[in-house]
């Protein structure tokens, strides 16, 4: 089946143009919707592009625009972004042609930081996708208010910059406010930031707007992965397992990932695997799915190994009996202060999170902990999901089609099912056993070859090497 829908209708494989890039597929559908829309009626459209993301595949037209990029994966990733930029421009042009642009609020944002091992680049921020460091959670975003609200065009194409903290959960109440829709009856964690953003757009070119009041908010609260992140003004408190603390710089060669941090020199063997994958794609095209999955395993193992070295290792909160936390019933619990796992940074002066202030500023750690506690008290009971699932009670047959009726209120799904976490644990355990078995087999094959090679080298040094006849 194809995990692609037009409204509520699942598309079949025959409906998909397999010669068309996914970015073009989404763009063409969005433009089709704009052309068919009555401009006198409201329109809410979300275009969720898959780019830029691996697998790294792009048309030659956009690869040619990125010839200046030296490293192969960065070059293809650059082409993906160039293609995305072109597509967004095409959609804006369609809105202008339909005379809808002057009445359109436009928002562009990303979901998470990039993965440098597949071409992403988060510098100067530390970390990467899946981590709680700034490189994993801080993303580019921009908004454009319509003339119908501003009554004046932006001063410059470059616009102004808003220096306040905005979470992706803020977009819901913000968009409701801009569209003059009454607030939802359901509790939301976000706030309406439309006034600050509008003021920023109306500022002079190059102005860096600062919010009137410092923001206090959770950046991450993941009991499953044992990591919490909270921001209070310019200070950010990290607790538990924030992920591999690597700081990446722009790579200049296919043979070297330019990054620093614990265990950086240990990952040459994994880089060799990535070189082989790149070579396969260069000669034979797209890798088989099984090899793509293997690449993800390699990437995850890198992070796990680095976490262990830096004492920020991934540790399943649910498998630690000493905590006495019944997460599965939806209890919000204040994270504990574990020795060596408390990190405090001043993001204004240290955006790369290089200097841990936790020991020198214990009073700030305590104050932020109190803010975290108050925030948890105000929140709904914890709903902890791992992955993109809405609930683990989905039937096994629900692979590509919805299994919840449209009439069901998703807010009823408040707690995660224990079966899901147990299943995840068993799958990970089986995966690690499989990898261990593969490692043993490889060792049994490679070891005799190395011994044989070593004996031949010794014989050659003695002048007793094998005799070859022409």
């Amino acid at each position: 089946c194809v995990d692609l829908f037009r409204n509520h209708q699942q598309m079949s494989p025959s409906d998909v143009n397999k010669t068309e890039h996914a970015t073009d597929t989404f763009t063409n559908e969005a433009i089709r919707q704009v052309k068919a829309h009555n401009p006198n009626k409201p329109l809410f459209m979300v275009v969720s592009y898959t780019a830029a993301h691996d697998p790294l595949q792009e048309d030659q037209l956009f690869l040619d625009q990125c010839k200046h990029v030296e490293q192969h994966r960065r070059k293809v990733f650059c082409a993906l972004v160039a293609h995305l930029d072109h597509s967004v421009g095409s959609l804006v042009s369609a809105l202008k042609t339909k005379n809808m642009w002057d009445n359109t609020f436009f928002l562009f944002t990303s979901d998470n930081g990039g993965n440098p091992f597949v071409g992403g680049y988060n510098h100067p921020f530390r970390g990467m996708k899946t981590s709680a460091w700034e490189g994993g959670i801080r993303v580019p975003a921009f908004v454009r208010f319509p003339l119908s609200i501003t009554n004046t065009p932006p001063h410059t194409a470059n616009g102004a910059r808003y220096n306040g903290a905005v979470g992706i959960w803020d977009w819901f109440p913000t968009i409701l406010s801009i569209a003059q829709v009454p607030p939802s009856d359901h509790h939301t964690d976000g706030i309406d930031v439309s006034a600050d953003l509008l003021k920023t757009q109306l500022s002079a070119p190059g102005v860096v707007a600062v919010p009137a009041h410092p923001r206090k908010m959770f950046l991450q609260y993941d009991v499953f992965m044992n990591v919490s992140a909270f921001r209070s003004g310019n200070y950010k408190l990290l607790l538990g397992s924030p992920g591999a603390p690597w700081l990446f710089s722009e790579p200049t060669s296919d043979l070297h990932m330019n990054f620093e941090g614990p265990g950086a020199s240990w990952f040459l063997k994994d880089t060799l695997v990535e070189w082989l994958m790149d070579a396969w794609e260069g000669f034979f095209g797209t890798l088989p799915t099984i090899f793509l999955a293997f690449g993800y395993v390699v990437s995850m193992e890198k992070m796990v190994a680095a976490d262990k070295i830096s004492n920020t290792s991934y540790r399943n909160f649910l498998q630690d009996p000493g905590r006495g936390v019944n997460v599965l019933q939806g209890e919000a619990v204040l994270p504990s202060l574990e020795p060596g796992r408390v990190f405090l940074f001043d993001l204004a002066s240290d955006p790369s999170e290089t200097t841990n202030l936790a020991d020198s500023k214990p009073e700030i750690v305590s104050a932020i902990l109190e803010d975290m506690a108050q925030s948890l008290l105000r929140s709904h009971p914890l709903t902890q999901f791992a992955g993109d699932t809405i609930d683990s009670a989905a039937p096994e047959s629900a692979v590509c089609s919805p299994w919840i009726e449209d009439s069901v209120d998703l807010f009823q799904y408040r707690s995660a099912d224990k079966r899901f976490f147990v299943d995840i644990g068993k799958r990970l355990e089986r995966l690690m056993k499989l990898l261990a078995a593969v490692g043993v087999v490889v060792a049994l094959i490679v070891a005799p070859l190395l011994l044989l090679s070593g004996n031949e080298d010794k014989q050659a040094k003695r002048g007793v090497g094998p005799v070859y006849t022409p």
Side-chain angles (χ1 to χ4, degrees), residues 22 82 191 256 269 359 377-378 393 411 419 435 459:
I191 64 172
H256 178 59
K269 61 181 187 306
D359 290 337
L377 287 174
R378 292 192 300 268
F411 279 85
R419 179 174 64 84
L435 291 175
Q459 291 176 356

Side-chain angles (χ1 to χ4, degrees), residues 49 51 84-85 88 105-110 140-144 171:
Y49 286 103
L84 177 62
D85 182 69
V88 171
F105 173 76
F106 190 88
L107 161 66
F108 180 94
T109 187
S110 183
F142 64 82
V143 299
R144 180 265 187 192
W171 294 129

Side-chain angles (χ1 to χ4, degrees), residues 276-288:
L276 292 174
M277 294 170 67
D278 288 342
W280 177 287
E281 289 186 337
F283 285 103
F284 305 108
T286 305
L287 279 163

Side-chain angles (χ1 to χ4, degrees), residues 403-420:
W403 59 275
I404 300 178
E405 297 295 331
D406 292 339
S407 59
V408 173
D409 180 8
L410 296 183
F411 279 85
Q412 71 177 275
Y413 292 93
R414 287 293 184 197
S415 60
D417 189 339
K418 183 176 182 180
R419 179 174 64 84
F420 179 77

Side-chain angles (χ1 to χ4, degrees), residues 73 115-120 128 246 248 257 259 271 274 299 302:
R73 293 190 176 196
N115 182 349
F117 292 107
V118 291
M128 56 189 287
W246 292 329
F248 292 83
M257 281 299 299
F259 67 101
T271 304
E274 292 169 350
S299 180
K302 284 181 177 179

Side-chain angles (χ1 to χ4, degrees), residues 79-156:
L80 284 163
V81 174
H83 194 169
L84 177 62
D85 182 69
H86 172 81
S87 297
V88 171
S90 298
L91 179 55
V92 170
S93 295
L95 289 167
K96 291 180 177 179
T97 300
K98 195 73 175 183
N99 295 320
M100 296 170 62
W101 181 243
D102 288 344
N103 199 37
T104 295
F105 173 76
F106 190 88
L107 161 66
F108 180 94
T109 187
S110 183
D111 53 352
N112 48 250
N115 182 349
F117 292 107
V118 291
Y121 187 61
N122 306 314
H123 196 82
F125 306 121
R126 185 175 301 277
M128 56 189 287
K129 176 180 178 178
T130 75
S131 78
W133 304 99
E134 289 296 281
I137 61 175
R138 187 186 292 202
V139 299
F142 64 82
V143 299
R144 180 265 187 192
F145 283 83
L147 289 174
S148 58
I149 292 180
T150 64
N151 295 318
T152 179
H155 292 284
T156 171

Side-chain angles (χ1 to χ4, degrees), residues 437-461:
V438 171
V440 170
V441 172
V442 171
L444 291 175
I445 294 174
V446 173
L449 295 177
L450 292 176
L451 289 173
L452 179 60
S453 175
N455 290 334
E456 290 182 350
D457 288 342
K458 291 179 181 178
Q459 291 176 356
K461 289 179 181 179

